[in-house]
Amino acid sequence: MYNIIMYAIQLGVAIASLFNEKVRKMWRGEREAFRILKEQVDPNAQYVWFHAASLGEFEQGRPIIERLRQEYPQYKILLTFYSPSGYEVRKNYQGADIICYMPIDTVTNARRFLRLVRPCMAFFIKYEFWYNFLHILKHRNVPTYSVSSIFRPNQVFFRWYGKNYGRVLRCFTKFFVQNEQSKELLNSIGITEVEITGDTRFDRVLQIKEAAKELPVVEAFAAGRLFVAGSSWLPDEEIFIKYFNEHRDWKLIIAPHVIGEDHLQQIENLLEGRKVIRYTEAEKSLNASDTSLTSHLSPLTSSDVLIIDCFGLLSSIYRYGQIAYVGGGFGVGIHNLPEAAVWGIPVFFGPNNERFQEAQELKKNGGGLEIHNYEEFAARMDELTADPASLLKRGEAAGGYVKGNAGATEIILRQLTVLRVAKRQSRADS
């Protein structure tokens, strides 16, 4: 049944690619994957394969990729993505030797892919459970690891009707899971090679913090009280913008999840009577060759809302704020909370967060504030504004949570028998 579904998906993707640009990129990328592998795979090299569905999973796997590359240069890295939102952003990532799409999980594709690559190890990040690829990896005795995975009782593996598909979990050499519940669920179906390591994403956000960019535009703008909203959607923006239309003693930075002219116009239409400037406009002004620096800074310093209309800056922007908001909690689910919390500031988010352990933990320790509507948001903001000690305490709780949960990468690398053997062999050869 699974294979029938996979071939149906393959056909569906082919048809959908005629009408949707994102699907078209995925379809072309999957077909080009075999060409890329034929051209770039070194038959004399040992490849470690990392698979991430999209950009978020890649960021979780990235600390392991970079440590492995640094400490075990004898291995080459193959990185695959399923989604264009991951591949298109990271296709030029310098930490991997080969980057391509992962073909749809048919038996034919899996056999062909693995014959070309012949990986010596494989890492699947978080939710990736591809039946055919994993079974062939097991048949070939390739050590295969699930990293930063998290399991819940309602998942198909733990239901009576998912028993057959659940066998895919037995293909992994070891699971590195985020919490105790995940370990218990796996143990309940007879899987015991499980280690609780936490989430490698905490290691990644600490890396990002250490390498944060200097942003002259934001520095010039960020005088006084500053609220930073990241990865926001319209339902988020309708709540927090209403508050800041009424409280003009706060400056506001908005980095929306979707950067398109229609959405940017929607945001600007919500901002009643506030002076707005876009990041790219402000950057051009600062970089202009005019001799008067004051004339360049004036539109920026006199504005009280800065809209980020480009990518790649958000993780560095949070550092300038006193309070943050991470979007998505009124829709698909919240985005990257640790990315904001690492800066030691309290973080607001919407109610769709039950699947996100970091949201639950931040709510418990006071560093995160869940809101359901405008009234809740306004009440919480008024409390924080009126009580600087509470603001500081919540910020310290948020930053402490990230630091306290770092270290998963180190634990995982220590647990990998294959790497320990490789290190001993390297020492013997020297």
Side-chain angles (χ1 to χ4, degrees), residues 51 83 211 355 374:
H51 176 65
S83 168
R355 294 183 295 109
Y374 170 75

Side-chain angles (χ1 to χ4, degrees), residues 115-297:
R115 282 171 184 158
L116 284 168
V117 178
R118 296 174 293 105
C120 61
M121 274 183 288
F123 293 82
F124 287 72
I125 313 301
K126 200 172 183 177
Y127 291 133
E128 295 302 282
F129 307 109
W130 297 104
Y131 193 90
N132 291 312
F133 276 93
L134 286 167
H135 274 85
I136 296 174
L137 283 167
K138 182 180 181 181
H139 178 73
R140 294 184 173 210
N141 296 315
V142 177
T144 303
Y145 305 97
S146 178
V147 172
S148 291
S149 46
I150 189 165
F151 294 92
R152 300 176 185 84
N154 62 354
Q155 285 176 299
V156 64
F157 315 112
F158 312 110
R159 300 296 185 92
W160 64 267
Y161 54 80
K163 201 170 188 181
N164 286 334
Y165 179 66
R167 292 173 183 161
V168 71
L169 299 180
R170 300 183 182 278
C171 295
F172 286 97
T173 306
K174 191 157 191 172
F175 287 85
F176 298 105
V177 299
Q178 293 190 33
N179 57 25
E180 181 68 34
Q181 182 190 52
S182 298
K183 181 177 181 178
E184 290 175 356
L185 286 168
L186 289 170
N187 289 169
S188 73
I189 58 173
I191 296 173
T192 57
E193 286 297 323
V194 186
E195 181 88 10
I196 301 172
T197 58
D199 191 345
T200 51
R201 185 166 41 167
F202 292 107
D203 298 331
R204 178 60 187 149
V205 295
L206 286 168
Q207 287 178 345
I208 292 171
K209 182 182 178 183
E210 290 298 316
K213 302 173 184 176
E214 298 292 332
L215 301 174
V217 168
V218 181
E219 288 179 6
F221 172 81
R225 290 175 167 175
L226 177 63
F227 184 93
V228 178
S231 301
S232 61
W233 297 77
L234 187 59
D236 305 300
E237 293 148 4
E238 288 174 336
I239 289 175
F240 66 74
I241 287 176
K242 181 179 178 181
Y243 182 86
F244 293 108
N245 281 341
E246 299 172 2
H247 296 77
R248 296 173 182 265
D249 54 329
W250 282 86
K251 285 195 165 189
L252 177 61
I253 294 180
I254 305 173
H257 185 75
V258 176
I259 298 176
E261 187 57 34
D262 288 346
H263 188 204
L264 297 178
Q265 286 289 343
Q266 284 179 316
I267 293 171
E268 291 178 357
N269 290 339
L270 290 172
L271 291 159
E272 300 170 358
R274 305 217 63 175
K275 189 168 182 182
V276 181
I277 190 168
R278 296 188 184 184
Y279 185 89
T280 53
E281 173 190 347
E283 189 175 44
K284 286 178 184 176
S285 179
L286 276 183
N287 292 336
S289 58
D290 192 289
T291 56
S292 173
L293 180 61
T294 304
S295 66
H296 301 156
L297 289 174

Side-chain angles (χ1 to χ4, degrees), residues 311-373:
F311 292 105
L313 303 179
L314 181 56
S315 60
S316 296
I317 288 173
Y318 283 123
R319 70 194 290 187
Y320 298 100
Q322 284 77 56
I323 303 175
Y325 185 106
V326 174
F330 287 92
V332 296
I334 49 174
H335 296 290
N336 195 339
L337 284 177
E339 188 176 54
V342 71
W343 294 103
I345 56 178
V347 186
F348 281 91
F349 46 85
N352 186 7
N353 61 67
E354 58 276 359
R355 294 183 295 109
F356 299 86
Q357 180 171 299
E358 63 272 24
Q360 305 307 310
E361 296 296 331
L362 283 168
K363 283 193 293 183
K364 286 179 185 177
N365 83 353
L369 300 100
E370 176 185 291
I371 54 106
H372 295 79
N373 50 48

